[in-house]
Amino acid sequence: MVAGNRADSNMSVIGLGKLGAPFAACLASMGFRVIGVDVNPQVVEAVMAAKAPVFEPGLQELMARYRDNITATAAITPAVHNSVITFIVVATPSDERGAFSLGYVLSACASVGEALSSLDRYHLVVITSTVLPGSTGGPIKDVLEERSGKTCGKDFGLCYNPEFIALGSVIRNTLNPDFVLVGESDARAGEMLEGVYRELCDNDPPIARMNIINAEITKLAVNTYVTTKISFANMLARICEHMPGADVDVVTGALGKDARIGPKYLKGALGYGGPCFPRDNQALSFIAREVGASATLADATDMVNRAQVENLASVVMEHLPPGGKVGILGLTYKPDTNVVEESQGVLLAGRLEEEGIRCFAYDPAARIEDVAKEFDGFSGISSLEECVRQADVIIITTPWDEFKTIDPALFAQGGRRRVVIDCWRILDPEEVGIHAAYHALGIGYLDDI
């Protein structure tokens, strides 16, 4: 498949949220004609005006530059009829068991199936939303066949193609993935999707094609393995903190040089958060229980991750004077996104509130209304300087670039000697130590510098 302004390179993308909108823009940037579909009229209006409907670095630039290649609508049937491949990128919320809800996916598939019923050519349906193993070849395929009156693998193709991306770097990850995962109903479907990625990606990534059930398991397995690596590094950090002279960065730096391990995700700081890692880990554990298998390692990883906030809260309370106030720098789960879901900063604020400790917080991108939904009594601050001024103890919970360049003298404003807890070790200990009591996670020393 060759991209360009041709009918056989038209793509439809259902769901223009935090993943769907950047994916649509990336397709457009490579010459594909993209028809975006979303139930939210404000999203449709924004896309038609070449405005990014969500916060993501680089998205607005792509939307503006390739506006002639992107349209948007709320109607699925014309989008399907005027494209050769439909990507479904809608939410699959987790429930209390750790399973994923298929409600939005099945609703979209029902409409796609109805559109296929009046289409006289082969069409490929791609599920990009994360689903539990057995979902794509089960209820999803069933709905598509029932509503279309056609046979999967013969009249239309079906692929499971989840993305391995991080919010804040969605565009870079989409155009330069480590690998592309394709679960296919039939060879024709897999070949069509592989052709798209050969055009889309800048880095010629390996493409792993397999049956759908293996792809569904692989998606959860990849993220669970990464979370296990994160929790292992955090375990090492907690050990180092209790051994004078120990430094987790030195330990993990050596560890990552082993080719069997590698350096990625070995920082040793705070727990993981966001919309993917926690729930994929829990989903693998859920599906293991459902089939009568064990996922002990996934369960242990989740347990270690949940313990990180409690550990940090203990460190804060150890350094907090009676009646003292806390300033939290960082509410998003990582830099370059406005998502606060499962973020360590938000979880810490909630935990300290339980102890009756007054918290202030600043973040360059987080929406305070999103944070306020998590607990009552939260005080958001509009500037870094004001957050520091209000606090006796300052904790850096998200390693935003803005925090890496803080003037250390700021910590001494008003003549007070504050405590700075640097969770990611992004500040210079000696420079900060002139103005404040400095404490870094992952470092073993008895007294603050």
Side-chain angles (χ1 to χ4, degrees), residues 126-137:
V126 180
I127 306 300
T128 299
S129 307
T130 299
V131 300
L132 288 175
S135 299
T136 307

Side-chain angles (χ1 to χ4, degrees), residues 1 28 74 98 120 140 160 169 191 202 204 279 285 296 307-308 318 322 388 392 396 405 422:
M1 177 175 292
D120 59 0
I140 290 174
Y160 179 61
S169 56
E191 288 166 6
D202 292 329
D204 191 27
R279 75 193 206 107
S285 181
T296 306
Q308 300 312 306
E318 178 184 339
V388 171
D392 299 286
I396 301 176
T405 58
D422 187 356

Side-chain angles (χ1 to χ4, degrees), residues 210-244:
M210 59 195 70
N211 68 24
I212 289 173
I213 189 71
N214 284 329
E216 290 170 328
I217 296 170
T218 299
K219 168 56 165 69
L220 299 183
V222 168
N223 280 351
T224 298
Y225 189 89
V226 171
T227 60
T228 300
K229 200 172 180 181
I230 293 170
S231 286
F232 187 84
N234 287 338
M235 177 190 72
L236 291 176
R238 303 296 84 81
I239 292 172
C240 288
E241 289 163 6
H242 293 280
M243 304 189 73

Side-chain angles (χ1 to χ4, degrees), residues 84-104:
V84 293
I85 302 177
T86 296
F87 293 88
I88 297 178
V89 197
V90 298
T92 52
S94 298
D95 62 24
E96 65 281 355
R97 303 170 300 163
F100 299 144
S101 168
L102 287 178
Y104 298 122

Side-chain angles (χ1 to χ4, degrees), residues 253-306:
L255 194 66
K257 295 183 186 303
D258 191 314
R260 296 168 299 176
I261 299 172
K264 290 185 177 181
Y265 295 100
L266 279 179
K267 181 59 180 176
L270 295 180
Y272 54 82
C276 293
F277 280 170
R279 75 193 206 107
D280 281 9
N281 180 282
Q282 293 162 23
L284 186 64
S285 181
F286 167 80
I287 202 67
R289 293 193 302 270
E290 286 293 291
V291 300
S294 172
T296 306
L297 190 57
D299 293 335
T301 295
D302 183 62
M303 180 182 69
V304 170
N305 194 61
R306 293 179 186 277

Side-chain angles (χ1 to χ4, degrees), residues 357-430:
I357 297 171
R358 182 75 182 277
C359 293
F360 299 89
Y362 167 75
D363 189 281
R367 296 179 299 186
I368 297 303
E369 60 268 26
D370 291 342
V371 183
K373 293 176 184 176
E374 302 297 323
F375 52 88
D376 297 327
F378 176 73
S379 298
I381 298 295
S382 60
S383 72
L384 186 157
E385 292 77 11
E386 178 63 13
C387 185
V388 171
R389 188 185 71 80
Q390 294 278 2
D392 299 286
V393 175
I394 297 98
I395 310 102
I396 301 176
T397 50
T398 310
W400 282 93
D401 285 344
E402 180 179 345
F403 301 156
K404 297 176 184 178
T405 58
I406 294 175
D407 180 357
L410 180 64
F411 298 125
Q413 62 177 317
R416 296 159 60 187
R417 186 170 177 80
R418 296 170 174 82
V419 176
V420 176
I421 300 175
D422 187 356
C423 299
W424 294 91
R425 302 174 295 284
I426 61 175
L427 303 179
D428 185 310
E430 293 185 1

Side-chain angles (χ1 to χ4, degrees), residues 310-344:
E310 188 63 38
N311 173 77
L312 180 56
S314 297
V315 173
V316 172
M317 289 186 282
E318 178 184 339
H319 290 86
L320 191 66
K325 300 173 184 178
V326 172
I328 298 174
L329 298 182
L331 294 170
T332 56
Y333 83 97
K334 65 184 293 293
D336 299 320
T337 181
N338 62 358
V339 175
V340 302
E341 186 176 347
E342 296 285 334
S343 86
Q344 297 292 292

Side-chain angles (χ1 to χ4, degrees), residues 1-6 8-11 22-34 62-63 65-70 171-177 195-205:
M1 177 175 292
V2 179
N5 296 331
R6 308 193 330 251
D8 64 355
S9 66
N10 286 2
M11 307 288 157
F23 182 65
C26 286
L27 286 171
S29 74
M30 292 301 166
F32 294 103
R33 299 297 295 270
V34 182
L62 285 186
M63 295 290 293
R65 184 174 181 181
Y66 299 101
R67 63 186 304 163
D68 291 341
N69 284 352
I70 307 177
I171 293 171
R172 182 175 70 250
N173 295 159
T174 298
L175 299 177
N176 298 276
V196 171
Y197 279 100
R198 293 300 179 200
E199 295 285 345
L200 177 65
C201 300
D202 292 329
N203 62 336
D204 191 27

